[in-house]
Amino acid sequence: MEATRILTEKDVSLTGLCAVSPLSYENYVLKGGYVGLTKAIDSLGPSGVRDAVKASGLRGRGGAGFPTWKKWDMVMRQAEKKRYLCCNAAEDEPGTFKDRYLLRSNPHQLIEGVLIAAFTVGANEAYLFINCRYEEERAFMAEALRISKAAGHWGEGSASGITLTICESPGSYVAGEETALLEVVEGREAKPRQKPPYYPTMHGLYGKPTVVNNAESLSNVPFIVREGAEAFQAVGLPSSPGTMVFTLTGDVNVPGLYERPLGTSLRTVIDDCGEGIKNGASLKAVFPGGPSVPVIPASQVDLRLDFDGLKAAGTGLGTGAVIVMSEASCMVQTAIQYARFFANESCGQCPPCKLGTVHISEILEKIEAGQGTSGDIKLVRQSCEMVKGRGQCFLLTGAAIAVESILGHFRHEFEEHVGAGRCPLSSQPVA
Ligand SMILES: Cc1cc2nc3c(=O)[nH]c(=O)nc-3n(C[C@H](O)[C@H](O)[C@H](O)COP(=O)(O)O)c2cc1C
């Protein structure tokens, strides 16, 4: 078994840098805080920062793993000079709470990351978009903002000249989608925009070029600028450098947040970080990156958690939400749980999304209740196939992928439900 690689003081560490008294500006500065911002403004300049981030290989931690520098570069190339930056800490996907922890454990690091990114893309206004349920974290961030402003890092007359504003996300999953986020910042409902033509890098906030980056992506930026791309590359894999804050949940003994180098195996995260499966049971399945990426069976537990390796294996790193299911889990119930989540969270703007997710949930519920037929199993598969790619955002496709992958790997469980006329693992049908 691969040994857990414990991060040391010298490593890229998002969570460890300022774990003691995270609001302390002095503590942050003692550990190299704000060196990156000063270096960006005084010596590297926008193109120098972009090149350092490019060389570092940093990829987005918000779900898609898009190279961070590329998004910045798209905005930098726009003729329009009024630009915006949004930091995405909406975070409402099941099993994900890493950004919450970063807001709490290292707010100055995130502020510095936002300021460096805004400076690089030429945005003199940036928004911190934070889940409305994260009340304490928002208050924490507000205090850190007050302190960093007083220290002269942002605001009118500061060296950066950037203004920062906290914006409350309504606490719905879809509000984290980048164009829905822009709608909320502009004061409207969280409903994704049509892409094309409304790509944020071209027509973003108030129609201006806008970068939307995840809070964890931005938290990585101060280290890269301060220590250089090579230092960042020294941890993780060449194609997936750095660390990721994995949110480990489900049937493990010690669920929680674990920052590990990218490329750490799933088995290491489950067995060493999570101390194995609850009640000595064996592993059945894992969502390695949240429920919007395909589930994998226990036989694939030696896969490494990195962007390209998981993609090649037919799944994805997503948000790094590792959701573990033991042999005691009913996979039809698991499918219902996520299908219902997506149905409830669908904003209703695209009929195939609301109707499709509700329809899929209803057939699954029929199967779980023991009233399904083999035709219903086929219908679940066909419905997933039919709705994929038909919504304005990825929510509908993510829903279809979750259900389809569960059915793909655990079809026998669906057939057992139909054959037995009941759930073999439960005496109670799901409510
Ligand atoms: C339905 C939906 C919800 C999303 N929720 C979040 C979220 O809460 N936080 C986040 O950073 N990205 C979320 N994303 C991805 C964002 O649209 C966007 O890709 C991301 O913020 C980009 O940041 P990154 O390039 O730094 O990863 C979501 C996407 C979809 C389709």
Side-chain angles (χ1 to χ4, degrees):
M1 191 194 296
E2 179 182 324
T4 307
R5 164 95 154 68
I6 303 292
L7 296 170
T8 69
E9 276 267 308
K10 287 190 197 128
D11 282 323
V12 185
S13 177
L14 300 174
T15 54
L17 190 68
C18 210
V20 181
S21 52
L23 275 180
S24 162
Y25 174 78
E26 292 72 25
N27 191 11
Y28 185 62
V29 167
L30 266 177
K31 302 236 176 177
Y34 288 107
V35 167
L37 180 63
T38 307
K39 192 171 163 187
I41 296 172
D42 292 350
S43 61
L44 290 178
S47 56
V49 179
R50 178 205 53 208
D51 293 348
V53 172
K54 180 179 179 181
S56 76
L58 176 65
R59 295 169 69 166
R61 307 303 200 233
F66 192 77
T68 303
W69 78 272
K70 264 195 195 167
K71 206 182 272 187
W72 294 7
D73 192 54
M74 285 181 219
V75 167
M76 291 164 84
R77 287 171 186 274
Q78 300 298 312
E80 171 62 55
K81 291 296 168 223
K82 180 67 193 174
R83 299 157 187 183
Y84 294 95
L85 183 118
C86 296
C87 165
N88 194 345
E91 199 170 56
D92 222 56
E93 188 175 71
T96 310
F97 42 92
K98 67 187 179 71
D99 296 336
R100 177 175 214 165
Y101 184 68
L102 287 173
L103 290 167
R104 195 172 249 281
S105 70
N106 219 332
H108 287 296
Q109 176 180 247
L110 179 54
I111 293 170
E112 187 184 0
V114 170
L115 289 172
I116 295 173
F119 165 77
T120 307
V121 304
N124 66 356
E125 284 182 64
Y127 290 86
L128 292 136
F129 192 72
I130 304 176
N131 191 317
C132 66
R133 283 189 288 266
Y134 293 179
E135 283 177 32
E136 281 186 11
E137 288 75 13
R138 270 203 331 280
F140 232 60
M141 184 49 84
E143 179 58 7
L145 283 174
R146 191 193 61 73
I147 295 168
S148 59
K149 189 177 187 192
H153 293 297
W154 64 274
E156 274 175 39
S158 65
S160 73
I162 297 163
T163 55
L164 299 178
T165 308
I166 292 181
C167 183
E168 229 178 83
S169 153
S172 66
Y173 173 52
V174 80
E177 194 279 338
E178 56 189 4
T179 59
L181 175 158
L182 300 177
E183 287 289 295
V184 176
V185 177
E186 288 186 27
R188 289 187 291 276
E189 274 183 73
K191 295 200 169 171
R193 296 175 180 172
Q194 180 91 44
K195 287 191 276 185
Y198 296 111
Y199 290 109
T201 49
M202 291 180 273
H203 303 277
L205 199 58
Y206 305 111
K208 305 296 180 194
T210 302
V211 165
V212 181
N213 275 141
N214 170 258
E216 184 179 350
S217 313
L218 292 167
S219 292
N220 276 288
V221 170
F223 178 92
I224 293 168
V225 177
R226 187 178 70 240
E227 307 289 336
E230 262 183 40
F232 187 74
Q233 285 266 350
V235 174
L237 300 180
S239 64
S240 292
T243 65
M244 188 133 172
V245 184
F246 296 105
T247 320
L248 179 64
T249 60
D251 296 331
V252 286
N253 286 311
V254 191
L257 290 156
Y258 299 96
E259 183 177 5
R260 290 291 178 276
L262 283 168
T264 301
S265 82
L266 201 44
R267 187 189 291 279
T268 298
V269 171
I270 295 171
D271 287 351
D272 294 357
C273 304
E275 296 184 16
I277 308 295
K278 267 187 201 161
N279 305 321
S282 50
L283 174 69
K284 183 184 272 188
V286 190
F287 282 104
S292 307
V293 304
V295 75
I296 54 170
S299 57
Q300 289 183 288
V301 73
D302 286 309
L303 282 174
R304 296 206 289 195
L305 290 159
D306 74 277
F307 292 106
D308 299 332
L310 288 178
K311 192 170 174 211
T315 179
L317 188 59
T319 53
V322 178
I323 307 173
V324 176
M325 285 144 284
S326 79
E327 61 191 345
S329 308
C330 164
M331 295 309 286
V332 178
Q333 283 181 19
T334 304
I336 292 173
Q337 181 188 342
Y338 293 116
R340 272 187 188 160
F341 165 78
F342 288 114
N344 290 339
E345 294 295 324
S346 168
C347 73
Q349 179 174 230
C350 312
C353 182
K354 198 55 152 184
L355 297 175
T357 48
V358 169
H359 177 62
I360 292 168
S361 307
E362 285 173 353
I363 319 169
L364 290 170
E365 279 160 14
K366 190 177 162 198
I367 296 171
E368 173 62 19
Q371 290 155 10
T373 62
S374 50
D376 289 319
I377 301 178
K378 205 168 152 195
L379 192 57
V380 171
R381 199 184 52 74
Q382 284 172 339
S383 305
C384 290
E385 194 50 48
M386 212 160 65
V387 298
K388 266 195 285 177
R390 294 195 56 206
Q392 213 148 277
C393 77
F394 192 75
L395 186 146
L396 178 57
T397 302
I401 284 176
V403 174
E404 198 179 43
S405 65
I406 293 173
L407 179 57
H409 288 295
F410 301 97
R411 192 184 177 94
H412 57 280
E413 290 198 24
F414 289 70
E415 284 164 355
E416 279 160 23
H417 280 70
V418 168
R422 58 184 282 272
C423 172
L425 286 169
S426 156
S427 51
Q428 301 282 318
V430 273

